[in-house]
Amino acid sequence: LVAQTENGNAIFLEAVNAVKDKDYVRAVDLFSSQAEDNQHDAQYNLAVLLKAGKGAPQDFLKALSWAWAAHLGGIEAAEDLSDELHDIIPEKSIEAAREVVANRLRSRIDNGEKLAVMQFAQYHVELLEEADYERAYIWYSIAAAIGLEGAFEARDKTRSSVDEERIVELQVEAGTIFETLVFK
């Protein structure tokens, strides 16, 4: 694991140096592999390059999906980048980027990645056109059950936006989903 982390840092630094050397094609290639491995800094940097059209043709939708992934991963600058991209992409196209992010998160959850659970809950509150507090409550409940930092508070805060008549149904659904998940 330590070697993998050191290797990841070396690849990241290689990508940063490629940008400094204006070898954008190489930078996009290196950042892409790390973005796919959920390295949030790389996701942000890839989004910046895709927005600018450096190293690959300009692709606002891909840039938005990576910027959102980086935002959900805690990269603060990604929120501003996401907002900029959101403003220049037609709304009907934005749904495709949302779908990419949701599918990537769900795949990570299915592969046992705990942190993706919290990000998936956050996705339902922050990235949808209209927040889905019921889905967020379900996923924050699962995040709390596996002990993720901030999950209890987020679950309880989200609960205040959920119809009390639905809370028991949502808890049952969270329990059903939870039983199907296996975490690393």
Side-chain angles (χ1 to χ4, degrees):
L1 188 65
V2 172
Q4 186 178 15
T5 302
E6 288 172 3
N7 185 40
N9 287 339
I11 293 169
F12 185 83
L13 290 175
E14 188 180 340
V16 169
N17 287 329
V19 170
K20 288 178 185 172
D21 295 339
K22 297 187 181 352
D23 186 355
Y24 300 118
V25 172
R26 178 135 177 80
V28 165
D29 182 52
L30 293 168
F31 283 136
S32 291
S33 66
Q34 291 193 307
E36 291 291 343
D37 287 338
N38 305 305
Q39 185 171 335
H40 303 299
D41 287 339
Q43 291 170 336
Y44 173 76
N45 290 342
L46 180 58
V48 169
L49 291 172
L50 290 171
K51 179 181 182 259
K54 293 181 177 181
Q58 225 173 19
D59 190 331
F60 295 155
L61 277 182
K62 266 189 194 168
L64 180 59
S65 72
W66 286 122
W68 275 341
H71 167 69
L72 292 173
I75 306 300
E76 288 183 28
E79 187 171 4
D80 289 338
L81 179 59
S82 299
D83 290 344
E84 288 172 30
L85 288 160
H86 189 278
D87 289 345
I88 59 177
I89 299 172
E91 186 57 44
K92 65 181 190 286
S93 299
I94 289 175
E95 194 53 42
R98 284 188 183 102
E99 213 170 288
V100 167
V101 173
N103 290 340
R104 192 179 299 123
L105 287 168
R106 195 54 219 243
S107 177
R108 289 176 56 204
I109 291 167
D110 292 344
N111 287 326
E113 291 183 48
K114 289 181 179 181
L115 293 179
V117 173
M118 194 75 166
Q119 292 172 6
F120 198 45
Q122 186 181 353
Y123 163 89
H124 285 92
V125 174
E126 295 182 24
L127 299 190
L128 296 178
E129 174 135 12
E130 190 174 314
D132 184 343
Y133 292 107
E134 290 187 356
R135 292 281 111 205
Y137 176 79
I138 288 168
W139 289 101
Y140 279 134
S141 293
I142 293 168
I146 59 176
L148 294 179
E149 186 177 334
F152 293 101
E153 298 82 359
R155 179 202 59 206
D156 294 345
K157 181 180 178 189
T158 303
R159 182 176 163 203
S160 67
S161 298
V162 173
D163 181 359
E164 286 298 320
E165 295 291 319
R166 297 260 307 130
I167 210 71
V168 171
E169 292 171 55
L170 298 174
Q171 290 171 346
V172 168
E173 188 174 346
T176 301
I177 293 169
F178 180 77
E179 288 177 16
T180 69
L181 302 174
V182 178
F183 294 104
K184 295 176 184 172

